[in-house]
Amino acid sequence: MRESFDVAIVGGGPAGISAACVLAEKGVRTIVFERGEYAGAKNMFGGVLYGHDLARIIPDFAERKCPVERNIVESRIWYLSREAGFNLAYRDQAFFDQLRNNVFTVGRAKFDRWFADQARARGALVVCSTVVTDLMKDDAGKVCGVVADRPQGELKARVVILADGINSPLAGKTGFRPEPRPEHVALAVKELIDLPEETINARFQVEADHGVTTEILGETTRGMNGVAFLYTNRSSISLGIGANLAALSQRRVRPYELLEEFKKHPMVAPLIQDGKPREYLAHWLAEGGYDTMPHLCGDGYVIAGDSAMMFNALHREGSNLAMASGQMAAMAVYDALNKGDVTRKGLEGYRDLLKDSYVLKDLKKYRRFPSFLDSHDELFSTLPRLKCMAAREMLTVNGVTKKEKQGRIWKKIRKEMSLKSLFRLVWDGWRSVR
């Protein structure tokens, strides 16, 4: 640990390993510190990844046996009341062939371990079971290395890349990023449910290796700003639900209670019937958006991925932003090292790269979306209930004329939501995504 490196990376997730792959391939002496027993040990659950950003780092990832669970060929959006719901689905032949692996599911424990092996193969040193507890600084206040929780744990580095997630142990101690406020964070609970591969294929109407993702809004979060999801893996289903941390605290709702209620919903229960729970975990999501991001670089360091609050709440994208930001952080650091200027000014190229990419453009475009969700609880309570009521009324054949049914529906809507409230909802929603 007395040895010095060009770059020290804190965190062995998608952002950190992406940076390590790029730097190591360019011959930069790079070390990665991962607090888990192995990369992915703290991410035992499944999720979705995006082929475009992974391919920019490892173009032949499929040939290198990336542990893909299922190639996603259909995306669904559900809008649910307590007892009913709407289902909007999109399936495209392009995702079967020319756009294969545009989105795919993985088990993060397997994927992160595989990804770390790719970085090692390129020359990076990945040190696991090690927590970085502090940052070293020189007399001028410039970051010049890290302090790890092991004997003689000080390690010098010309640049440090911080990529240890939203609940970074370093954030509060070093102040490189403010501690996230509860209203800017969602707490999600997840469960992995084992089912035979053939059962999943039949229930989701797919063939082997193909899968479906489902994103869910509505009353499932008891009126709180939150979402749920359901993803298909090869022989399991990833099921989860989360809500704003501040709302959970104020209402004293236990997240696992939301999950158990969600599993009993009539649109969910048939899909997981006879499944066997295998894993359970909870984690934070950085949902504050563009306006909660810290400054992305300083003297001797840059911040990437969840550590930088990079999460697209509308499109539920995080891992791709992490990989893209990790790659761009590496490119900027490499340029700064070659120029011999690793001060904040010398590392500003990182932000320039992000500004020219989809990462900051998308985050900036949707910067109002988190506050839109926070200010419109009716999206998670009144509105899904009224929409499902209207559908039930119109689909029930009971001898009542359609005109009379429409009158009943409109009367109930006006009783619970004024025209002014409806107009404000539509107007605020449009402004948040335009």
Side-chain angles (χ1 to χ4, degrees):
M1 293 294 287
R2 294 287 186 184
E3 196 173 2
S4 63
F5 284 77
D6 293 320
V7 180
I9 300 173
V10 184
I17 297 299
S18 295
C21 284
V22 173
L23 289 166
E25 189 171 46
K26 293 179 178 294
V28 177
R29 298 189 69 227
T30 305
I31 185 170
V32 181
F33 291 99
E34 165 56 40
R35 55 182 169 165
E37 183 181 348
Y38 53 87
K42 299 294 184 180
N43 293 292
M44 299 300 290
F45 204 78
V48 296
L49 287 180
Y50 303 84
H52 172 267
D53 292 290
L54 180 58
R56 293 186 66 185
I57 300 162
I58 305 177
D60 57 344
F61 69 86
E63 290 75 12
R64 287 179 177 272
K65 298 182 179 180
C66 175
V68 173
E69 290 283 324
R70 287 181 183 259
N71 168 49
I72 300 303
V73 298
E74 182 177 318
S75 298
R76 299 175 182 175
I77 297 175
W78 288 357
Y79 197 45
L80 306 183
S81 68
R82 289 291 182 93
E83 299 177 346
F86 289 85
N87 177 11
L88 176 65
Y90 179 75
R91 182 179 293 211
D92 192 324
Q93 184 60 39
F95 297 131
F96 287 80
D97 33 62
Q98 68 261 38
L99 290 178
R100 182 178 178 83
N101 287 335
N102 169 64
V103 181
F104 52 91
T105 53
V106 296
R108 282 291 302 276
K110 291 182 180 179
F111 173 80
D112 285 18
R113 203 167 192 171
W114 171 87
F115 203 18
D117 286 343
Q118 308 311 302
R120 288 191 182 95
R122 296 184 180 197
L125 177 61
V126 182
V127 180
C128 298
S129 300
T130 304
V131 177
V132 173
T133 59
D134 207 348
L135 299 177
M136 295 172 58
K137 295 184 179 181
D138 62 19
D139 293 339
K142 173 186 167 295
V143 172
C144 60
V146 299
V147 180
D149 65 341
R150 55 170 56 198
Q152 299 181 331
E154 293 186 355
L155 180 138
K156 289 186 176 181
R158 296 175 66 189
V159 180
V160 175
I161 297 178
L162 300 159
D164 55 342
I166 183 174
N167 54 341
S168 164
L170 278 174
K173 185 172 183 178
T174 65
F176 74 81
R177 186 205 71 201
E179 285 285 358
R181 295 168 59 181
E183 58 268 31
H184 297 154
V185 176
L187 175 60
V189 289
K190 304 178 178 182
E191 189 171 303
L192 192 68
I193 300 174
D194 284 339
L195 278 170
E197 183 176 352
E198 298 76 15
T199 301
I200 294 174
N201 294 345
R203 290 180 182 178
F204 290 87
Q205 297 181 312
V206 292
E207 298 176 353
D209 300 328
H210 296 150
V212 175
T213 61
T214 307
E215 307 289 345
I216 301 141
L217 288 171
E219 280 196 298
T220 51
T221 51
R222 297 188 190 176
M224 294 179 290
N225 173 8
V227 297
F229 67 84
L230 192 157
Y231 303 147
T232 56
N233 305 311
R234 187 172 302 278
S235 56
S236 64
I237 288 176
S238 298
L239 189 73
I241 189 168
N244 183 271
L245 184 59
L248 286 168
S249 177
Q250 290 167 3
R251 304 189 189 193
R252 299 184 179 181
V253 175
R254 296 178 175 86
Y256 70 84
E257 294 175 348
L258 294 179
L259 183 61
E260 290 305 312
E261 290 175 5
F262 178 54
K263 289 163 63 176
K264 296 175 183 177
H265 193 280
M267 291 184 68
V268 177
L271 298 177
I272 63 173
Q273 184 178 359
D274 299 324
K276 297 179 180 179
R278 178 168 28 120
E279 296 173 2
Y280 179 91
L281 64 78
H283 78 130
W284 286 6
L285 293 172
E287 294 198 324
Y290 181 85
D291 292 327
T292 65
M293 293 176 62
H295 197 87
L296 296 171
C297 60
D299 292 338
Y301 72 90
V302 298
I303 312 174
D306 280 357
S307 289
M309 304 292 283
M310 293 183 190
F311 183 75
N312 185 329
L314 177 60
H315 294 279
R316 315 309 300 169
E317 294 179 16
S319 58
N320 56 331
L321 305 189
M323 286 188 283
S325 65
Q327 181 193 28
M328 285 181 267
M331 293 166 61
V333 167
Y334 179 72
D335 186 56
L337 289 171
N338 286 336
K339 292 179 178 178
D341 183 4
V342 293
T343 63
R344 175 169 171 169
K345 182 178 180 180
L347 293 167
E348 280 286 355
Y350 172 45
R351 185 172 179 87
D352 293 337
L353 288 172
L354 284 170
K355 284 172 67 176
D356 291 335
S357 75
Y358 79 92
V359 176
L360 282 193
K361 288 179 179 178
D362 282 355
L363 290 173
K364 192 171 184 179
K365 172 180 171 63
Y366 299 127
R367 68 191 304 173
R368 294 189 183 97
F369 188 71
S371 60
F372 165 67
L373 295 180
D374 281 338
S375 59
H376 288 284
D377 290 347
E378 64 268 31
L379 286 166
F380 309 97
S381 54
T382 309
L383 195 60
R385 186 171 64 252
L386 289 176
K387 290 185 71 172
C388 289
M389 174 276 298
R392 178 185 296 171
E393 184 73 43
M394 294 304 295
L395 292 172
T396 300
V397 179
N398 55 4
V400 179
T401 68
K402 298 300 186 284
K403 184 175 182 179
E404 187 176 348
K405 286 176 178 290
Q406 290 169 354
R408 290 178 179 177
I409 292 170
W410 183 240
K411 185 176 180 180
K412 290 180 181 178
I413 292 174
R414 289 294 303 274
K415 184 178 180 180
E416 296 200 40
M417 290 190 71
S418 67
L419 286 176
K420 183 179 179 180
S421 296
L422 284 170
F423 177 79
R424 180 171 175 264
L425 177 66
V426 173
W427 173 251
D428 288 351
W430 177 79
R431 288 182 70 246
S432 72
V433 299
R434 68 183 177 88

